[in-house]
Amino acid sequence: MTGSETRWLDADQQQNWRAFIVGSTLLMDTLDRELRQAHGVSMAEYEILVRLSESPDRTLRMAEIADSMQHSRSRVTHTVSRMEKAGLIRREAASGDKRGVDAVMTPEGWALLEAAAHTHVTGVREHFVDVAPRADFDAMGRVMNAVSDQLLAANPCFEDIR
Amino acid sequence: MTGSETRWLDADQQQNWRAFIVGSTLLMDTLDRELRQAHGVSMAEYEILVRLSESPDRTLRMAEIADSMQHSRSRVTHTVSRMEKAGLIRREAASGDKRGVDAVMTPEGWALLEAAAHTHVTGVREHFVDVAPRADFDAMGRVMNAVSDQLLAANPCFEDIR
DNA sequence: GTCTCAGAGTTGAAAGTTCAACTAATCAGA
DNA sequence: TCTGATTAGTTGAACTTTCAACTCTGAGAC
């Protein structure tokens, strides 16, 4: 990873990279704030609800949540604990593997998601999807997929590092 | 912001958006970890050093740092305090405005930056710039610039919210 | 001059994240 | 079937970020 001469970025690359950092923090912070103010959930919590809502029985193993969001297991434990306290999720022993824990979405969680989804999608459109031409947006998607592929390929067991 | 019917994202938009979330957290976490392991600084700290290195006298007002990074003033205060304790930055009373504080890069800070820059740029290339065709990368840059523009225009005094 | 308001930065506590150590269950192999 | 290595998840402490309250300086009105 750290070899020989440094190949510096040219001016364009530099600018694009900085645009990415600033734009993405601005975007994420805004969406997070909108969700918190309107519904009292963070974006991470919202994302967990989305994933649960898409799963059979609105249920997911802790590890599945962690892997799909690229969060550490510890982080998911803490987040789910808070959400459980708030009544949005219930923990159950996983059937089969006695080490495992299932996170199950409660009716309250579902209700919250239904309300929050509108806020979130509106924000994503207004601040992201609708501010650029479709072709550029697709290109951005290809870049970010390539980023994920590269990083996951380079680190087959990415969890170990976290 | 929250009006009438929800215009949901279509499948492509959904995928691109999720690619963005996962890819960017993966990318930022990786670059942050690389910097921490090799040089003991976070990416936020590194970015502050970069900005100082580009300023006349390697000096910047606290507020300038905060604004250019889209961080809250409080966050910059805390981060700079840690960096000052580590000897990378020195605080000085700003000339002219007695309310102001200048953050000045120390020789130790400069030395660290020189060492860390190689690691960082190599990582940015390997995990980001070089994983996608230039045209896609440029399109990504346009999208992120549009995001920033939209958000900054919508919130003339963005700091007030933070 | 002084009163009020705005701006720059700090502070400390609360909330969230990371890190390393831990328990308990499963698996693979002798 | 016993043993050692893995895997799932949790825990608590350290660290980072956020939030609201605060101090001090500067500026404009009168």
Side-chain angles (χ1 to χ4, degrees):
Chain A
M1 171 191 73
T2 292
S4 66
E5 279 301 291
T6 305
R7 290 169 51 226
W8 300 102
L9 303 181
D10 66 37
D12 279 356
Q13 292 172 322
Q14 185 99 244
Q15 251 187 292
N16 285 336
W17 166 233
R18 206 162 286 190
F20 176 81
I21 303 183
V22 173
S24 65
T25 60
L26 213 40
L27 175 63
M28 294 307 200
D29 288 0
T30 301
L31 293 173
D32 194 66
R33 189 162 14 81
E34 288 177 352
L35 231 29
R36 273 180 206 281
Q37 289 182 345
H39 306 282
V41 282
S42 68
M43 222 177 112
E45 292 166 343
Y46 174 83
E47 287 286 327
I48 291 180
L49 291 180
V50 170
R51 280 165 172 75
L52 287 174
S53 76
E54 292 168 345
S55 303
D57 299 323
R58 296 178 187 167
T59 296
L60 233 29
R61 285 286 290 271
M62 297 296 278
E64 292 180 301
I65 296 177
D67 292 348
S68 74
M69 308 220 309
Q70 294 305 137
H71 284 182
S72 68
R73 276 134 199 262
S74 169
R75 181 172 177 181
V76 172
T77 294
H78 287 302
T79 307
V80 166
S81 297
R82 287 191 294 272
M83 296 174 76
E84 191 173 29
K85 201 171 297 176
L88 305 175
I89 284 181
R90 177 168 30 92
R91 271 182 170 94
E92 273 179 19
S95 53
D97 191 335
K98 281 178 189 162
R99 292 168 304 181
V101 173
D102 280 337
V104 187
M105 191 178 209
T106 63
E108 291 77 30
W110 178 259
L112 179 66
L113 177 61
E114 284 208 301
H118 173 77
T119 303
H120 183 66
V121 172
T122 304
V124 172
R125 275 200 177 279
E126 182 179 350
H127 309 310
F128 193 46
V129 175
D130 288 348
V131 300
R134 184 130 203 158
D136 285 357
F137 195 67
D138 287 343
M140 185 280 313
R142 287 194 296 276
V143 172
M144 298 318 291
N145 274 316
V147 167
S148 298
D149 291 349
Q150 194 276 332
L151 286 172
L152 294 173
N155 276 310
C157 295
F158 205 89
E159 311 89 65
D160 294 346
I161 297 174
R162 309 182 63 90
Chain B
M1 174 189 73
T2 292
S4 65
E5 278 302 291
T6 306
R7 291 171 48 230
W8 300 103
L9 303 182
D10 65 38
D12 280 355
Q13 293 173 321
Q14 185 99 242
Q15 251 188 292
N16 285 335
W17 166 232
R18 206 163 285 189
F20 176 82
I21 303 183
V22 172
S24 65
T25 61
L26 214 39
L27 176 63
M28 293 307 201
D29 288 0
T30 301
L31 293 173
D32 194 67
R33 189 162 14 82
E34 289 177 351
L35 232 28
R36 273 180 208 280
Q37 289 183 345
H39 308 281
V41 282
S42 68
M43 222 176 111
E45 292 166 344
Y46 175 84
E47 287 285 326
I48 291 181
L49 292 180
V50 170
R51 280 165 173 75
L52 288 174
S53 75
E54 292 168 346
S55 303
D57 300 322
R58 295 179 187 165
T59 297
L60 235 29
R61 285 286 291 272
M62 298 297 278
E64 292 180 301
I65 297 177
D67 292 349
S68 74
M69 308 220 309
Q70 293 305 139
H71 283 181
S72 69
R73 278 132 198 267
S74 170
R75 180 173 176 180
V76 173
T77 293
H78 287 303
T79 307
V80 167
S81 297
R82 286 191 294 270
M83 296 175 77
E84 193 174 27
K85 201 170 295 176
L88 304 174
I89 285 182
R90 177 169 30 91
R91 271 182 169 95
E92 274 178 19
S95 53
D97 191 335
K98 282 178 188 160
R99 292 169 302 182
V101 173
D102 280 338
V104 187
M105 191 179 209
T106 64
E108 291 76 31
W110 178 259
L112 179 66
L113 177 60
E114 284 208 301
H118 172 77
T119 304
H120 183 66
V121 173
T122 304
V124 171
R125 274 200 180 281
E126 182 179 348
H127 308 311
F128 193 44
V129 174
D130 288 348
V131 300
R134 184 133 202 155
D136 285 357
F137 195 66
D138 287 344
M140 185 281 310
R142 287 195 295 276
V143 173
M144 298 318 289
N145 274 316
V147 168
S148 298
D149 291 349
Q150 194 276 330
L151 286 172
L152 294 173
N155 276 311
C157 295
F158 205 89
E159 313 88 65
D160 293 345
I161 298 173
R162 307 182 65 88

